[in-house]
């Protein structure tokens, strides 16, 4: 599953959607829009903290996160 993160960045709705997708899929790709890509490290840190997932890989504008199903 891929979640696109646009120019509005990361907000509560995006965090909730990421949590839902992690619960369903374990592995989720986050694709950052080019105009916010320079801030992606900050956004990734926020996402990892709020969803308690693990960052697997970052390539270009795409990050891959993982959370084991309970």
């Amino acid at each position: 599953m891929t979640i696109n993160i646009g120019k509005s960045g990361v907000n509560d709705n995006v965090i909730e959607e990421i949590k839902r997708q992690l619960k369903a899929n374990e592995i989720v790709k986050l694709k950052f829009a080019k105009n916010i890509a320079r801030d992606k490290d900050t956004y990734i840190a926020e996402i990892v903290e709020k969803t308690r997932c693990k960052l697997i890989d970052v390539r270009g504008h795409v990050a891959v996160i993982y959370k084991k199903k309970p």
Side-chain angles (χ1 to χ4, degrees):
M1 176 69 200
T2 301
I3 297 176
N4 292 310
I5 300 178
K7 61 185 174 191
S8 58
V10 175
N11 55 35
D12 291 340
N13 293 335
V14 173
I15 294 292
E16 289 306 313
E17 180 61 24
I18 292 169
K19 285 180 181 178
R20 279 193 293 274
Q21 294 303 327
L22 283 169
K23 195 176 281 188
N25 299 308
E26 283 192 354
I27 292 179
V28 175
K29 286 184 183 179
L30 307 172
K31 187 172 183 181
F32 293 88
K34 287 182 182 172
N35 57 347
I36 65 159
R38 67 183 178 282
D39 300 324
K40 75 176 181 290
D41 292 338
T42 305
Y43 290 133
I44 291 169
E46 180 182 352
I47 290 166
V48 167
E49 180 185 329
K50 290 184 177 178
T51 62
R52 296 191 177 121
C53 66
K54 292 184 181 176
L55 178 64
I56 296 174
D57 194 18
V58 178
R59 293 189 187 197
H61 302 301
V62 179
V64 180
I65 56 174
Y66 167 81
K67 186 173 183 180
K68 186 173 179 165
K69 288 187 182 180

